[in-house]
Amino acid sequence: MPILKTATLGCKVNQYETEYVRQALAQIGYRAPQGNEPADLCVVNTCTVTAESDRKSRQRIRKLAKENPDARIVVMGCFATRCPQRAAALPQVTEVLTDKRDLPALLKRLGVERPPAGIDRFDGHSRVFVKVQDGCRRVCAYCIIPKVRSVLVSRPEQAVLEEVARLRDSGYREIVLTGIHLGHYGVDLPKEKNGQRPNLARLVERLAELDGDFRIRISSIEADEATPELVRLMVQFPDKVCPHLHLSMQSGSDAVLKRMRRPYTRQEFLDRCALLHDSLDLPALTTDLIVGFPGETEADFQDTCRAVEEARFSKVHIFRFSPREGTEAALMRDQMIHGDVLRARAAELARVVRRARQAYFESIVGRPMRVLIESIDSARPGQVFGTSERYVPVELPGCSAEIGTFVQATAERIESDRVVGIRSASD
């Protein structure tokens, strides 16, 4: 049997696509290596969100070539789209896929006559990513992705429903809906007889109506895409739709948001967060923030710190700005904030974020949790780790046989960056 090795850099969408390729090639006999077996074929799914992502993509390809001297290497992903000639020049690269829409054609060239409609498992994962959408047309000043994945492509509702049903039947209990711009799901699909197009909220509703003991988590969307219809569904299906939304804020300063070309003001974003807090039971709101965007003043930075507190985020990813060649931000004036200032701001924001996270954790102590068990604590037998519906990391008593299952628990106390739970009596 031929041996396949894969490597994935970047986002949840890439992780899904790599799993899809693995399952497609398994149809014609490819298998994963055992131990240090050299591969016959390597597939590298690359990222280009930063210059560092490009470097890591090239590094991974060279490493695979060295370790698998007789393998063919296929390169796909955003680095392949942005820099196809550089990708093709790397050792042992035999094909560069520059457009993910051509993935079925690539698989046919590799011998897969009938590429699968989707996946039915996700090796190594308890929480499964399902790609429902591709492409972004936003023009955020710092982001290169719309230049490499600009074409909007939404999967038909029925294809998503069938894939989720297969994953449910395979025993997966959490489905994470993902896309390059998830909130734009459906805008490219044809109108129906009633004149309406499918949208994210309707897709979530149809998934929530499926039978079975599983839950849906919505990955990153814009604040204005947390529509009243979507909120209604989260209220209507509390056991099926996780009370967690990742709303990408990027800055809490109106001046910086305008230079970033973000489609909202500070107050509009905070108003949407307030609506979610008012409508849902202790919703978990998470976000991304960029520190040191060109021209960011101390006043701008303090606006961001205050916005974290006002929004009551439960988790924040902090990024220090680095110019990305090919973006508007890379050409802006006031490009480089002094390194000491940037480090100090990042450290201060991290302290603000820790306080906000601690406050959120404290708010759920004593509350029931439905925890998806994901791993064991190798250092402490009899303890397991999992994730609650509110995207809180949880440690509690359990065993390896429970990995991939739900456990009912109560949040007992906070320890480090997690909640310690006790098993419910009925569990």
Side-chain angles (χ1 to χ4, degrees):
M1 295 176 67
I3 296 172
L4 170 70
K5 287 185 180 179
T6 61
T8 307
L9 298 97
C11 64
K12 294 180 179 69
V13 169
N14 274 10
Q15 294 181 54
Y16 171 90
E17 290 166 345
T18 300
E19 182 62 33
Y20 175 82
V21 168
R22 277 196 291 261
Q23 292 186 32
L25 292 173
Q27 293 181 358
I28 56 171
Y30 277 91
R31 66 171 177 85
Q34 297 179 358
N36 294 321
E37 282 185 302
D40 300 289
L41 175 66
C42 299
V43 178
V44 185
N45 203 350
T46 61
C47 178
T48 196
V49 69
T50 64
E52 179 67 7
S53 301
D54 285 355
R55 186 191 69 78
K56 288 182 177 180
S57 296
R58 295 191 300 268
Q59 183 182 56
R60 186 67 63 89
I61 294 165
R62 292 191 182 101
K63 187 172 187 289
L64 284 169
K66 184 178 180 179
E67 294 173 347
N68 305 273
D70 298 321
R72 296 175 294 156
I73 298 180
V74 174
V75 183
M76 55 193 281
C78 291
F79 171 69
T81 301
R82 186 167 178 265
C83 304
Q85 293 179 335
R86 293 186 72 182
L90 291 166
Q92 297 169 221
V93 172
T94 58
E95 184 150 8
V96 177
L97 183 71
T98 59
D99 190 334
K100 291 288 181 68
R101 291 173 296 172
D102 295 333
L103 186 54
L106 167 67
L107 291 171
K108 287 185 177 181
R109 290 194 295 275
L110 293 173
V112 182
E113 287 300 321
R114 292 187 176 182
I119 64 174
D120 56 21
R121 66 183 187 279
F122 211 120
D123 292 342
H125 288 252
S126 297
R127 299 167 54 241
V128 183
F129 308 141
V130 170
K131 173 186 172 182
V132 303
Q133 183 274 343
D134 204 335
C136 180
R137 291 180 182 168
R138 287 281 166 91
V139 290
C140 301
Y142 51 82
C143 187
I144 195 69
I145 299 305
K147 293 191 176 182
V148 294
R149 298 184 90 143
S150 61
V151 179
L152 299 181
V153 180
S154 301
R155 295 176 64 193
E157 279 184 335
Q158 191 59 35
V160 177
L161 290 167
E162 291 173 0
E163 182 172 47
V164 169
R166 287 195 303 272
L167 291 164
R168 173 205 62 194
D169 293 344
S170 295
Y172 292 97
R173 294 293 169 255
E174 181 170 313
I175 310 297
V176 184
L177 302 183
T178 188
I180 299 300
H181 187 150
L182 181 61
H184 274 177
Y185 175 81
V187 300
D188 57 301
L189 294 176
K191 289 184 178 180
E192 299 174 339
K193 291 181 180 180
N194 61 6
Q196 301 297 314
R197 285 188 175 89
N199 58 32
L200 179 61
R202 196 179 82 173
L203 176 65
V204 169
E205 182 171 26
R206 294 192 66 186
L207 289 170
E209 289 172 344
L210 290 175
D211 293 333
D213 187 21
F214 73 97
R215 67 191 185 198
I216 302 152
R217 192 178 301 277
I218 301 165
S219 63
S220 181
I221 59 175
E222 300 286 4
D224 62 348
E225 293 162 355
T227 61
E229 184 182 12
L230 191 59
V231 174
R232 175 186 62 79
L233 293 171
M234 297 173 79
V235 174
Q236 183 180 350
F237 298 98
D239 293 330
K240 277 289 183 69
V241 185
C242 293
H244 164 223
L245 289 172
H246 186 88
L247 308 176
S248 189
M249 187 179 200
Q250 305 300 354
S251 175
S253 159
D254 280 334
V256 173
L257 289 170
K258 185 175 182 180
R259 289 197 298 277
M260 286 179 167
R261 296 192 181 277
R262 297 295 285 164
Y264 49 80
T265 65
R266 177 185 197 275
Q267 194 58 53
E268 286 170 343
F269 188 99
L270 292 175
D271 286 346
R272 187 55 55 99
C273 292
L275 173 65
L276 292 167
H277 283 297
D278 290 343
S279 303
L280 301 171
D281 179 24
L282 289 177
L285 304 183
T286 60
T287 198
D288 304 310
L289 290 170
I290 297 174
V291 177
F293 192 79
E296 180 188 74
T297 65
E298 181 62 25
D300 293 329
F301 172 70
Q302 292 301 327
D303 278 345
T304 295
C305 291
R306 286 189 291 271
V308 169
E309 296 171 339
E310 290 181 45
R312 290 179 276 167
F313 291 122
S314 64
K315 185 174 183 179
V316 178
H317 296 288
I318 301 172
F319 299 92
R320 299 183 193 183
F321 174 77
S322 61
R324 187 67 180 102
E325 182 183 357
T327 65
E328 181 183 354
L331 304 176
M332 288 181 175
R333 297 170 59 184
D334 302 322
Q335 187 61 224
M336 298 302 292
I337 293 175
H338 192 277
D340 290 342
V341 174
L342 185 58
R343 283 189 290 274
R345 287 181 183 174
E348 182 179 347
L349 182 58
R351 289 191 291 272
V352 173
V353 165
R354 282 195 297 272
R355 289 197 299 269
R357 187 164 172 80
Q358 178 80 7
Y360 184 77
F361 282 7
E362 289 173 353
S363 73
I364 65 171
V365 169
R367 297 291 299 269
M369 302 180 294
R370 199 175 192 216
V371 182
L372 178 66
I373 305 302
E374 298 180 79
S375 64
I376 61 171
D377 185 347
S378 57
R380 293 198 291 172
Q383 293 291 111
V384 293
F385 295 111
T387 303
S388 79
E389 64 272 46
R390 291 180 172 84
Y391 203 54
V392 171
V394 180
E395 179 182 352
L396 73 167
C399 64
S400 60
E402 293 176 312
I403 291 175
T405 67
F406 287 131
V407 167
Q408 294 296 133
T410 300
E412 183 182 41
R413 66 183 188 277
I414 304 163
E415 196 171 286
S416 186
D417 192 41
R418 64 183 182 276
V419 167
V420 176
I422 54 174
R423 303 284 288 256
S424 299
S426 60
D427 191 65

